[in-house]
Amino acid sequence: MADVGGWSTIESDEGLFTSLIETLGVKDTQFEELISLDADTIRSLGPVYGVIFLFKWTREAAGARAEAPLDGTYDQTATDNNLFFAAQTIQNACGTQAILSVILNHDNPPAPQPAIELGEELRSFKDFTTGFPPELRGEALSNSESIRTAHNSFARASPFADETARPQDDEKGADVYHFIAYTPVNGTLYELDGLQPYPISHGPCGTGEFPEKVIEVLQRRIARYPPEETHFNLMAVVKDPRGRAREIGDVETLEREEREEGCVAVGEYSQTV
């Protein structure tokens, strides 16, 4: 992967991710950290568009560029049915790429799921890349000055090794982490990972089934790691509750959400793929 245009490492933090998409013009959407693999917790957040999963990258656990994924099946025709999927062509962009993998697939969801309002910038980007193959979509993303500028305004520069070339027996090398997205699109649960050649299907999944279905997939994925490995982070992409709170005069919810938005913490994962 070529490092084009100076993308910096992004931190893993729900407040930062929310601020990033607001900077890009997305309305009434935010991120919530999930501290347990529990379907009821996901469901309690209201309309959930998908989840962003951060994990320690290894060739074995990720099944990188394999002929078949370790779980699920490659869907080579998914992008023919209006699913947005971009190949990752640049280092450091995986956080923003995972975010867009959810956001850009829910601007026109089936009822009753509310649509995500993209804003002018992302609407123009999606319209421009409609019909592009994943590789060209990835190039378009890496060359988008506006998205890169927004990404870098919330990022901390940190050099790291390219995971596609880094030897796994290099004990002196720093740990490398990677963001991917899970989201239901067109009645299917998809794993969207720009390092894979195609979207990965995990079977039929309606909007209401998503919490249980995604937890099952995540549990299988985490089980591939040694028991002592605990470096995972999971965030849900949800409807901002402040809109509903304003409608019904829920002052407590409004105050809590405003406090959380003002406290953007620094994530512990400074190196991503």
Side-chain angles (χ1 to χ4, degrees):
M1 292 183 294
D3 190 1
V4 179
W7 291 67
S8 300
T9 304
I10 195 168
E11 303 291 352
S12 174
D13 178 81
E14 67 275 13
L16 183 150
F17 278 20
T18 299
S19 296
L20 172 57
I21 63 173
E22 288 177 347
T23 298
L24 288 170
V26 177
K27 306 293 185 184
D28 298 326
T29 305
Q30 69 180 40
F31 294 80
E32 293 285 349
E33 184 177 13
L34 300 171
I35 60 175
S36 64
L37 290 176
D38 179 73
D40 289 337
T41 299
I42 296 177
R43 184 170 285 104
S44 71
L45 297 173
V48 178
Y49 301 104
V51 297
I52 307 297
F53 183 55
L54 177 72
F55 59 96
K56 184 186 291 186
W57 194 95
T58 66
R59 294 184 188 278
E60 293 79 10
R65 289 290 178 179
E67 293 184 2
L70 297 180
D71 190 19
T73 58
Y74 287 136
D75 187 343
Q76 299 185 33
T77 64
T79 55
D80 297 335
N81 297 314
N82 297 319
L83 180 140
F84 179 88
F85 175 70
Q88 186 177 330
T89 63
I90 186 172
Q91 294 178 5
N92 295 15
C94 64
T96 293
Q97 186 150 339
I99 292 170
L100 296 182
S101 291
V102 176
I103 299 295
L104 296 182
N105 278 306
H106 289 278
D107 58 317
N108 187 29
Q113 186 85 332
I116 293 178
E117 185 178 341
L118 298 182
E120 182 178 352
E121 190 62 51
L122 292 184
R123 169 55 59 197
S124 296
F125 175 78
K126 183 174 182 180
D127 289 346
F128 173 70
T129 60
T130 296
F132 283 17
E135 291 75 15
L136 284 182
R137 278 181 168 162
E139 290 294 338
L141 175 59
S142 68
N143 291 318
S144 171
E145 183 177 353
S146 57
I147 296 177
R148 182 174 65 246
T149 298
H151 169 101
N152 284 345
S153 69
F154 293 98
R156 181 177 68 189
S158 178
F160 60 88
D162 179 350
E163 79 293 339
T164 61
R166 174 174 173 245
Q168 293 301 303
D169 58 356
D170 180 7
E171 297 181 356
K172 295 181 181 180
D175 290 333
V176 178
Y177 295 89
H178 186 46
F179 292 96
I180 62 174
Y182 291 92
T183 187
V185 182
N186 298 327
T188 299
L189 172 56
Y190 282 106
E191 175 183 332
L192 302 177
D193 177 356
L195 295 181
Q196 299 293 344
Y198 308 102
I200 297 174
S201 168
H202 290 284
C205 179
T207 300
E209 302 172 289
F210 176 69
E212 284 81 12
K213 296 278 189 177
V214 74
I215 291 299
E216 293 173 2
V217 174
L218 288 168
Q219 287 174 336
R220 292 196 298 268
R221 186 182 195 108
I222 291 173
R224 300 204 295 262
Y225 285 80
E228 65 274 10
E229 176 57 60
T230 60
H231 291 157
F232 303 102
N233 185 265
L234 186 65
M235 283 179 277
V237 189
V238 303
K239 185 74 174 176
D240 189 336
R242 288 176 293 185
R244 176 60 177 164
R246 292 188 186 100
E247 292 178 4
I248 65 176
D250 185 348
V251 176
E252 181 179 351
T253 296
L254 283 171
E255 291 179 346
R256 182 183 69 250
E257 293 297 325
E258 295 295 342
R259 285 196 303 270
E260 291 178 356
E261 184 179 19
C263 298
V264 177
V266 177
E268 64 174 301
Y269 307 107
S270 60
Q271 297 193 13
T272 57
V273 299

